[in-house]
Amino acid sequence: MPELPEVETTRRKIEPLLVGRILTRIEHDAPHKYTDTHKAEGRTVTGIGRRGKYLLLQLAAHEAATAGEHSEDLELLVHLGMTGGFRLEAGPHTRVTLHTDQGAIYFNDARRFGKVAVVRRGEYAAFPTLHNMGPEPLSEEFSEAEFVKAAASAGAVKPWLLSQKPVSGVGNIYADESLWTSQVHPAQTRLKPAEARRLYTAIREVMTAAVAAGGSTLGDGTYRQHDGEAGAFQVQHHAYARAGEPCERCGTPIAKTVLAQRGTHFCPRCQTLKPR
DNA sequence: ATAAGCCCCTGTGGGC
DNA sequence: TGCCCACAGGGGCTTA
């Protein structure tokens, strides 16, 4: 479900619920999916960060009395996958329960594509996408010049965006929306500088607006915050899930195809594929 | 090194 | 009504 705007909204919502609490016990099944969670037990959550679509809960080191390997800085890493989210009550799809000194919080995830793991701070080798994560789209580190340069030699632009390398946090919805806004075909290779600059600007605009709206909640309502609140950005979608509806720029029906195994929505008139 | 394809899971909706 | 297939906000692994 969640791309950067949904993950960031989740981060903001759960931060006040978890910061300052002690993780007393972490309960879950499927140990091969949720790794080393016991290492977080007894530690205090001191802050919640985010990189791309990953949430990073900072865990305070133990007291000096337990020096040695136990004193290292740890992070509880959470990826929401397609259907993951936090809830205040357990449900049929609760996969991980974070017991704290002030009550429990539940990680629900119907499809189990989500991840929960405890790692040493910054040690992401077991998570290659996070390890190789590109710059945050709304940060100073996201350089237009570098983006334009890399795009000039890239393959099909949508899969390239989804790789998280040129920029972090862009998923299927916001890739389609950014490409529609910048009038670039999803399968276009080797972007011209003008195209890449339009795409760079579109990514920043779309992400800014989507974060402000609290993300997108689709028709099935799967993505919601722990309090049941829905996002509001879906009403601003121009391409995603609008197949057959008229393009808001030119009236041509929005097309839907499959690209890199992902449903892909675009305007066949505004976003033409140029041979290169 | 990069790209394409398959896989992991579960639920839901459409077509027949 | 029931069944089967296709598809769903992601990403990791294997193979060319």
Side-chain angles (χ1 to χ4, degrees):
Chain A
M1 73 159 90
E3 307 180 32
L4 185 150
E6 293 77 28
V7 178
E8 176 60 21
T9 302
T10 297
R11 190 195 68 75
R12 293 177 184 181
K13 293 281 189 131
I14 64 169
E15 188 170 46
L17 298 180
L18 279 171
V19 169
R21 289 198 191 182
I22 300 167
L23 295 173
T24 51
R25 190 165 55 89
I26 299 180
E27 179 187 354
H28 60 80
D29 60 0
H32 60 105
K33 285 189 167 288
Y34 309 115
T35 53
D36 290 334
T37 55
H38 64 281
K39 293 181 177 174
E41 294 179 353
R43 294 185 182 234
T44 303
V45 179
T46 57
I48 303 183
R50 179 190 57 73
R51 272 291 279 137
K53 304 170 193 172
Y54 285 81
L55 291 169
L56 304 168
L57 280 65
Q58 308 303 324
L59 305 177
H62 282 305
E63 297 296 316
T66 59
E69 60 171 328
H70 299 296
S71 66
E72 64 197 2
D73 286 336
L74 297 181
E75 287 176 338
L76 179 71
L77 175 159
V78 179
H79 194 291
L80 303 180
M82 292 279 265
T83 56
F86 288 94
R87 294 290 184 275
L88 296 182
E89 294 184 355
H93 301 127
T94 295
R95 307 305 188 192
V96 181
T97 301
L98 303 178
H99 295 280
T100 81
D101 60 329
Q102 300 170 64
I105 292 181
Y106 305 90
F107 178 67
N108 286 7
D109 184 16
R111 289 180 71 182
R112 290 184 184 273
F113 285 172
K115 298 174 177 42
V116 174
V118 174
V119 300
R120 284 219 298 256
R121 189 160 300 188
E123 199 160 281
Y124 305 139
F127 302 87
T129 300
L130 177 59
H131 188 70
N132 300 312
M133 186 80 70
E136 288 292 318
L138 302 181
S139 76
E140 297 287 326
E141 284 69 44
F142 185 35
S143 152
E144 183 184 68
E146 288 176 28
F147 183 79
V148 169
K149 184 180 177 187
S153 60
V157 60
K158 182 176 173 182
W160 180 65
L161 289 176
L162 295 182
S163 76
Q164 309 298 300
K165 287 177 184 168
V167 61
S168 64
V170 178
N172 208 38
I173 292 177
Y174 300 107
D176 282 1
E177 292 302 310
S178 298
L179 290 164
W180 181 89
T181 297
S182 56
Q183 302 187 57
V184 175
H185 191 286
Q188 186 65 57
T189 60
R190 299 170 58 197
L191 300 196
K192 300 284 189 192
E195 294 169 332
R197 282 196 295 269
R198 290 202 308 270
L199 178 56
Y200 172 89
T201 300
I203 290 168
R204 294 183 64 123
E205 288 176 353
V206 167
M207 285 301 191
T208 299
V211 169
S216 301
T217 296
L218 300 189
D220 64 1
T222 301
Y223 164 72
R224 287 181 179 280
Q225 296 304 317
H226 65 86
D227 50 10
E229 189 172 333
F233 191 69
Q234 62 281 358
V235 302
Q236 297 181 56
H237 291 176
H238 299 105
Y240 185 84
R242 297 201 49 184
E245 296 179 38
C247 169
E248 291 170 18
R249 266 190 310 255
C250 75
T252 303
I254 296 293
K256 181 177 181 186
T257 60
V258 175
L259 179 60
Q261 287 84 239
R262 311 300 301 275
T264 296
H265 317 73
F266 66 102
C267 173
R269 182 170 174 189
C270 296
Q271 299 168 261
T272 56
L273 184 59
K274 279 118 181 144
R276 291 202 175 132

